[in-house]
Amino acid sequence: MNRRNFFSGAATAVAAASVSRVALAALPEPAMQSSADTAPPLHPPTGRPYNPVVTLNGWTAPWRMNAGVKEFHLVAEPVVREVAPGFMVNMWGYNGQSPGPTIEVVEGDRVRIFVTNRLPEHTTIHWHGQRLPNGMDGVGGLTQPAIQPGKTFVYEFVARRPGTFMYHPHADEMVQMAMGMMGLWITHPKGSHPQIAKVQRDYAFLLNAFDVEPGSMTPKVNTMLDHNIWCWNSRVFPSISPLVARQGERVRIRVGNLTMTNHPIHMHGHEFEVTGTDGGPVPHSARWPEVTTDIAVGQMRQVEFIADEPGDWALHCHKSHHTMGAMGHSVPSMIGVDHRGLVGKIQKIVPDYMVMGERGMADMGAMEMPLPDNTFPMMTGTGPFGPLEMGGMFTTLKVRADQPAGSYIDPGAFKQPTGTQAFEWQGAPASTPRPARTDIPGTAPAAASARKPAASGHQH
Amino acid sequence: MTGARCFSVLAAAALLAGCASVSPDGLRSDVAALTAGRTAGVPQAALPATDPAARAQAQQSINGWLAQPLTQDAAVRIALLNNPGLQARLAALGVADAERVQAITLPNPHLTLGRFTTSQEREIERTLAFGLMDLITLPWRTQHETERLQIATLQAAQDVAQLAADTRRAWLRAVAAEQVAATHDRMVEAAEVGAELARRMAQVGNWSRLQQAREQAVLHEANSQRARARLAAATAREDLNWRLGVWGAQAQYQLAAQLPPLPATALPADGIEATALRERLDVQAARRQLDTQAVRQGWSRAGAVFGDIGLAYSRNTTTERDTGSSDVKRGWEIELPLPLFDRGGAARTRAQAQVEQSAAQLQDTAVRARSEIRAAWLTYRTALDLARQQQAEVVPLRQLISDETTLRYNGMLASVWDMLAEARNSTQAVANAIEAQRDFWLAETDLQLTLTGTSPGALQGLTSGAAASSTPQGH
């Protein structure tokens, strides 16, 4: 980390003519975060009032008012992020974590953000989706010189329109985003807004993805699509905080996508409407109900619904690979391959060998096999009824009748009312799973024998 | 001079050559004394005896050693007792000894009898003559022949040292080749499982024929490598059999399971050149050769000038045929060559040149010994470093890679075939480590031979590959 000339660098970092010299005289102390837990919402101690958001496994940056200007201090620096307990990743982030703290302001606020660079290379911050002076847009080389290591730059503009935004570097952008540099920006409406409803719960998270070689802890920054760690706010299931709501509350979820692929975010048990994008609120007339909304690369979606169905509801990316942990995409499928007679032989050569994949991969969720150091398993997580076999962009929406308003405490597993759970049929048993085929590949099994209802095995 | 006095002269001459008796054990004890500490690190290895009882006892010992897993010590002991080539060599030394005795035995005197008749008389001549030169040069020749025999003994001792070293090398190669062949069994097992699983994958439609074919190819490759490894083991064993001089039922012995472990410390290089010059038998032989030529130079001068000096005693009886009266004529006769044409110059030059030749040969042998010992030590040291690296670094590293691949298999990050391939690589590393260990001991054998024995010829250590060990090492 390059700390040289930290303060003196700040004194010379006059980025734009509109920045007052007085403000620079006192650099705000940057707030740091050492925990990957979800911080409670930060109710505004100063400035205009608003209903704060809850950043999943994140936090909101505190600010200081300086002559009517909200001042934040972001420090770009290398961090070690706990993506899941026992799985640490070397990332670049802001103020101790990746993603950086959420910046919450109110429509019309003048905001001044000090950005100190403690990275080994230059950086900038681009304020994605904001209306601002061109010189504040944060595109290195285009709108400003890059912030060199050890230097502090000042961005200052008025948050002109309410909505959901994000910030991220626009200098060596591919590397710095692959390393986890990003954060959320929420501009709350000033007073009431005809297209922005009042909500009781307001959740926000970013979608981000990393490629961490099993057994290592630094993302491979050159990977384009074949990532193996699919995160919400640099966190994976089962370590992503659940979204909790009291039954009947109006809930808003804001999601931004800074991966390099789209993510169809799907919610169980409820329909929602997309009420806004990073372009602003969606007019009521343009909204339609959905249970999945696809969030394209570089987009933000803000969905709202009434949490009126009690229960533990899955909330996840519908790309099934994105709800998995590290996996080998070139590992061949072993389904249906008879291993009889070979296990002992393999164990003679590799004593720790166990058969996996012969019947599918669910074994993986149940067996806790030793993995390489610092490797997030492909499938993990256990619920009240067994392994969830997930890992990645997955969490739960927990709706409870008795969840106190404003409480974000995890209520635990949902107690399903009697007679409302799927149950095992106790009558005459159905046929057992079909055994592995033994005929020649590329030929269809004979229809008559295969469809015999009582067939307990193959005829050929 | 009477006949009795004449006889006493001959007796004195015979006494001079009195040391010229044949060694009762064919000089084997001399060879054994020279080879002490030079038999490939095996202390007090016995040589084949001439005595039948001792030979029978040796055969018993050999059978005893062959009944146990054969150690390198036992292999060397057996070879020295049982190798027919060595027995032939030692017998040849006995022949040389007999020839020496022959050479320094005085030539038998000549008795000339003549009967001549004329019309008047009948003459009977009796002459007893012998060459004096042989008698004069007898001390020189005795010394010369002794020296020559010592050189022959030194050469036989070098052959013993060579055989001991060759046997040890053959043992090292045979044991290593057997160990390596065993690792190939494991590699084939891994490839077999991979190929069988691939077959089942293709059978249920999970894999294409291409993917299956790749695993089958792996199995064939593993099988052919195992066949080579087994051949190498068999030929290495045959090479050892030849050194041991065994065949048939005796060749059914079991080899020791493992090579000796690597030593904790390396022999230092200090003073090795001095040791080699002092201890090496070939250097000693060259030194002897020079001494012998110097001695020969002395008597060759006398012999060349005077050639052969003949001394004869004649007793001639002349009998008149008519009267019957006899007249006896006695007398001495000495025969001397006149150095008119051959003044011995050429012979002296020849002797001088031979001394110079021997001196140069001694120097050459010494220079070669110095160079060889330095090369042998360097090979030894490098082989030790390589073997240690293979054993202490590469094998654990390959094991780690194998273990880590298993962990990745556990996480469904790697396939069974990846895991099996790493198991094969890991086993190959073990095979390489065995070969590196063998190469170290070969280099150590070279070093010992070069240090105290004789020239090793080409250094045997640091050959590579299992096939290399199948080449028989002749000398």
Side-chain angles (χ1 to χ4, degrees):
Chain A
M1 209 183 302
N2 191 344
R3 293 170 188 267
R4 70 197 144 89
N5 302 329
F6 176 60
F7 291 103
S8 62
T12 57
V14 183
S18 61
V19 176
S20 88
R21 285 177 166 277
V22 180
L24 284 172
L27 194 62
E29 187 67 23
M32 289 291 169
Q33 179 60 270
S34 61
S35 168
D37 294 338
T38 303
L42 179 66
H43 293 278
T46 55
R48 293 189 182 94
Y50 63 82
N51 188 29
V53 299
V54 169
T55 308
L56 287 186
N57 299 100
W59 60 301
T60 292
W63 67 85
R64 97 181 162 190
M65 295 299 289
N66 187 348
V69 180
K70 273 187 177 171
E71 290 185 336
F72 295 86
H73 189 174
L74 293 178
V75 178
E77 61 182 0
V79 300
V80 176
R81 171 71 170 181
E82 185 193 73
V83 175
F87 177 48
M88 312 298 277
V89 178
N90 291 326
M91 291 190 187
W92 288 357
Y94 299 96
N95 301 47
Q97 294 295 322
S98 163
T102 301
I103 290 173
E104 288 186 79
V105 297
V106 181
E107 177 187 5
D109 278 353
R110 172 162 282 272
V111 187
R112 183 179 299 134
I113 307 117
F114 298 87
V115 178
T116 298
N117 182 7
R118 288 183 185 163
L119 296 172
E121 68 166 354
H122 70 213
T123 188
T124 64
I125 296 187
H126 164 60
W127 313 98
H128 179 109
Q130 302 274 7
R131 292 250 175 183
L132 36 63
N134 181 246
M136 293 294 166
D137 199 36
V139 181
L142 179 66
T143 65
Q144 66 165 94
I147 310 169
Q148 295 303 319
K151 303 288 185 188
T152 298
F153 270 46
V154 182
Y155 294 90
E156 186 170 331
F157 54 89
V158 173
R160 281 159 67 179
R161 65 179 179 83
T164 308
F165 307 101
M166 47 195 176
Y167 61 90
H168 61 79
H170 230 298
D172 196 14
E173 184 183 350
M174 180 198 83
V175 167
Q176 295 189 8
M177 283 169 64
M179 290 293 285
M181 296 189 77
M182 55 192 72
L184 284 154
W185 177 301
I186 312 295
T187 301
H188 294 281
K190 184 166 67 179
S192 65
H193 190 289
Q195 285 162 340
I196 301 174
K198 278 196 167 359
V199 294
Q200 285 74 52
R201 308 267 174 175
D202 201 341
Y203 291 100
F205 60 90
L206 290 169
L207 307 171
N208 50 2
F210 302 93
D211 185 14
V212 183
E213 183 73 21
S216 76
M217 64 180 295
T218 304
K220 289 154 74 176
V221 296
N222 292 327
T223 303
M224 183 176 171
L225 295 172
D226 201 9
H227 299 83
N228 58 5
I229 304 297
W230 299 96
C231 300
W232 289 357
N233 281 352
S234 305
R235 195 88 171 158
V236 289
F237 175 81
S239 305
I240 300 173
S241 294
L243 287 73
V244 294
R246 181 183 175 85
Q247 189 177 5
E249 283 180 334
R250 186 173 186 85
V251 179
R252 179 184 293 135
I253 305 175
R254 308 166 190 253
V255 189
N257 180 3
L258 285 176
T259 72
M260 284 182 281
T261 187
N262 63 311
H263 297 279
I265 299 299
H266 173 58
M267 191 166 69
H268 292 204
H270 300 80
E271 315 83 39
F272 56 72
E273 286 182 342
V274 176
T275 59
T277 72
D278 26 0
V282 177
H284 288 287
S285 58
R287 299 177 185 177
W288 67 86
E290 278 193 318
V291 294
T292 302
T293 187
D294 192 32
I295 305 172
V297 180
Q299 283 188 340
M300 305 203 76
R301 290 292 178 267
Q302 158 189 313
V303 304
E304 286 172 34
F305 60 97
I306 304 296
D308 49 6
E309 294 290 347
D312 288 346
W313 303 106
L315 174 68
H316 60 92
C317 174
H318 216 286
K319 286 186 172 177
S320 54
H321 276 228
H322 295 179
T323 57
M324 291 280 128
M327 61 187 289
H329 291 129
S330 59
V331 172
S333 166
M334 307 296 288
I335 291 173
V337 176
D338 187 356
H339 280 66
R340 272 177 296 181
L342 295 181
V343 179
K345 285 183 182 173
I346 298 177
Q347 280 172 344
K348 195 177 157 197
I349 301 154
V350 184
D352 296 335
Y353 166 80
M354 284 182 72
V355 178
M356 283 196 296
E358 183 178 353
R359 295 163 298 176
M361 287 194 179
D363 294 342
M364 175 79 195
M367 292 195 291
E368 289 202 345
M369 307 270 287
L371 297 182
D373 290 344
N374 203 50
T375 297
F376 183 63
M378 182 174 81
M379 294 177 180
T380 181
T382 309
F385 306 108
L388 265 80
E389 301 158 359
M390 292 273 145
M393 293 177 162
F394 181 99
T395 190
T396 46
L397 167 69
K398 290 171 175 268
V399 181
R400 299 287 188 276
D402 55 356
Q403 184 77 10
S407 165
Y408 291 87
I409 292 166
D410 184 343
F414 181 64
K415 290 179 182 60
Q416 295 153 341
T418 312
T420 64
Q421 195 198 28
F423 58 94
E424 185 181 353
W425 171 248
Q426 298 296 333
S431 62
T432 53
R434 287 167 55 176
R437 58 184 292 181
T438 53
D439 53 359
I440 300 153
T443 59
S449 58
R451 294 216 165 85
K452 228 179 235 175
S456 59
H458 260 324
Q459 300 301 305
H460 42 209
Chain B
M1 192 181 272
T2 63
R5 284 173 66 195
C6 173
F7 179 77
S8 68
V9 170
L10 287 176
L15 195 69
L16 269 175
C19 55
S21 59
V22 178
S23 160
D25 66 347
L27 294 166
R28 277 158 209 229
S29 53
D30 293 24
V31 175
L34 282 171
T35 54
R38 293 187 172 94
T39 47
V42 180
Q44 295 170 350
L47 292 174
T50 43
D51 167 27
R55 276 170 185 258
Q57 201 179 357
Q59 241 353 283
Q60 220 166 2
S61 304
I62 289 169
N63 288 335
W65 288 320
L66 289 174
Q68 305 291 323
L70 187 67
T71 63
Q72 55 174 341
D73 263 32
V76 171
R77 286 177 199 282
I78 292 170
L80 292 187
L81 282 176
N82 204 42
N83 182 285
L86 183 66
Q87 287 168 7
R89 186 67 188 80
L90 292 175
L93 191 61
V95 172
D97 187 31
E99 282 170 354
R100 170 190 68 99
V101 172
Q102 182 88 48
I104 60 177
T105 305
L106 285 179
N108 291 329
H110 298 264
L111 177 67
T112 316
L113 294 175
R115 183 174 181 277
F116 310 94
T117 51
T118 61
S119 52
Q120 286 89 32
E121 54 187 22
R122 189 174 64 238
E123 194 180 324
I124 294 175
E125 274 185 27
R126 307 175 197 84
T127 307
L128 187 65
F130 63 91
L132 259 188
M133 199 58 206
D134 283 340
L135 190 60
I136 293 166
T137 60
L138 188 64
W140 277 316
R141 286 190 297 117
T142 307
Q143 195 183 347
H144 174 69
E145 291 297 331
T146 309
E147 295 277 7
R148 268 183 47 168
L149 190 69
Q150 274 168 348
I151 290 166
T153 312
L154 278 166
Q155 277 162 353
Q158 287 178 60
D159 288 349
V160 171
Q162 280 282 13
L163 177 68
D166 283 342
T167 307
R168 187 158 171 235
R169 289 178 187 127
W171 182 90
L172 290 168
R173 290 199 170 96
V175 171
E178 246 179 41
Q179 276 185 278
V180 167
T183 65
H184 279 273
D185 288 342
R186 286 195 62 207
M187 285 189 255
V188 167
E189 279 170 20
E192 269 170 357
V193 172
E196 173 57 19
L197 208 50
R199 191 188 64 78
R200 296 186 192 183
M201 288 284 279
Q203 189 183 38
V204 297
N206 293 13
W207 258 9
S208 66
R209 289 172 61 152
L210 172 64
Q211 287 165 303
Q212 183 191 357
R214 290 206 172 106
E215 294 304 321
Q216 281 177 307
V218 168
L219 175 59
H220 283 294
E221 176 63 22
N223 264 325
S224 68
Q225 282 185 8
R226 176 167 68 175
R228 285 171 207 278
R230 283 180 172 171
L231 173 65
T235 54
R237 193 184 164 100
E238 284 306 334
D239 188 44
L240 178 61
N241 287 347
W242 169 41
R243 312 283 176 195
L244 297 178
V246 297
W247 57 279
Q250 269 196 324
Q252 303 303 311
Y253 59 87
Q254 191 190 345
L255 275 171
Q258 281 174 340
L259 296 174
L262 295 175
T265 52
L267 292 178
D270 309 331
I272 49 170
E273 284 183 48
T275 308
L277 291 184
R278 190 178 63 244
E279 297 292 329
R280 270 176 65 153
L281 298 172
D282 57 340
V283 179
Q284 291 182 15
R287 205 172 282 139
R288 283 263 179 228
Q289 185 71 34
L290 179 60
D291 293 349
T292 312
Q293 294 300 347
V295 168
R296 187 191 168 98
Q297 200 185 7
W299 66 266
S300 73
R301 188 173 294 136
V305 175
F306 300 107
D308 200 10
I309 302 170
L311 184 68
Y313 170 75
S314 307
R315 184 171 182 275
N316 299 337
T317 312
T318 312
T319 309
E320 285 194 28
R321 296 177 79 170
D322 302 336
T323 61
S325 66
S326 297
D327 186 21
V328 174
K329 189 164 60 179
R330 299 185 187 85
W332 287 93
E333 205 174 82
I334 189 159
E335 186 188 334
L336 273 179
L338 296 178
L340 285 178
F341 309 113
D342 180 3
R343 295 174 183 223
R348 272 201 307 279
T349 307
R350 176 169 178 266
Q352 180 62 37
Q354 279 175 333
V355 171
E356 279 170 18
Q357 184 190 14
S358 296
Q361 273 169 351
L362 171 61
Q363 202 179 0
D364 180 49
T365 309
V367 167
R368 194 175 67 166
R370 284 177 184 274
S371 162
E372 280 174 349
I373 190 64
R374 288 195 300 267
W377 188 84
L378 209 59
T379 310
Y380 162 87
R381 183 65 237 206
T382 306
L384 180 59
D385 290 345
L386 289 175
R388 278 182 181 161
Q389 180 196 31
Q390 196 68 30
Q391 233 169 52
E393 308 290 339
V394 178
V395 168
L397 210 53
R398 272 289 161 201
Q399 190 56 49
L400 176 83
I401 292 171
S402 193
D403 292 346
E404 284 289 327
T405 306
T406 305
L407 293 179
R408 274 152 189 78
Y409 167 81
N410 289 348
M412 293 198 173
L413 303 158
S415 73
V416 181
W417 292 273
D418 296 333
M419 198 171 63
L420 291 172
E422 284 310 336
R424 287 201 309 275
N425 286 339
S426 184
T427 312
Q428 181 62 58
V430 170
N432 293 348
I434 292 165
E435 284 172 352
Q437 196 179 354
R438 174 202 64 194
D439 287 348
F440 164 73
W441 284 115
L442 289 174
E444 203 265 352
T445 310
D446 283 343
L447 179 66
Q448 294 297 348
L449 184 65
T450 313
L451 192 61
T452 61
T454 182
S455 168
L459 293 178
Q460 308 285 320
L462 288 189
T463 56
S464 60
S469 60
S470 66
T471 316
Q473 301 298 322
H475 60 268

